[in-house]
Amino acid sequence: MMKVTPQSFETMRKLIGGFWIVVPAYLLLSLIMPVFLILAGLLLVAHTLELPIAFLRLKGQNVKPTEVVSKTLLYGFTWWLPKSMEGRA
């Protein structure tokens, strides 16, 4: 099993930060294939349902609520889970 460290979480966060181009590309594809728009809607609902968990996990981390909401809606648990484990190693 791979050992998880704060550095590996930071590396993952930087990698995911580079995916900002995916959202506009996805929206462009949805104009061509409406099934992508349906999938995007399902992902938005799933990420919205993660918000209470994200707030609980990040309690005491001194993270702005707007950052939690925006990044959870954009990245989901791939953002808040590593962030919640910072400093615990």
Side-chain angles (χ1 to χ4, degrees):
M1 190 167 168
M2 185 174 119
K3 184 176 180 182
V4 179
T5 65
Q7 291 81 17
S8 63
F9 280 126
E10 188 60 31
T11 302
M12 184 177 73
R13 184 178 300 134
K14 287 179 183 176
L15 176 68
I16 291 171
F19 285 105
W20 63 270
I21 191 69
V22 170
V23 173
Y26 202 85
L27 290 174
L28 185 61
L29 274 175
S30 70
L31 295 174
I32 300 166
M33 298 179 196
V35 71
F36 285 112
L37 191 57
I38 294 168
L39 185 59
L42 291 173
L43 286 172
L44 181 64
V45 169
H47 288 243
T48 302
L49 294 174
E50 289 179 20
L51 284 171
I53 301 167
F55 277 110
L56 286 173
R57 292 293 300 258
L58 295 171
K59 190 176 184 177
Q61 291 275 346
N62 202 17
V63 181
K64 295 178 186 175
T66 54
E67 183 180 9
V68 174
V69 171
S70 63
K71 291 187 177 179
T72 300
L73 289 178
L74 188 58
Y75 302 117
F77 79 93
T78 59
W79 175 77
W80 60 259
L81 185 61
K83 182 78 173 166
S84 71
M85 300 179 100
E86 283 180 359
R88 293 187 185 187

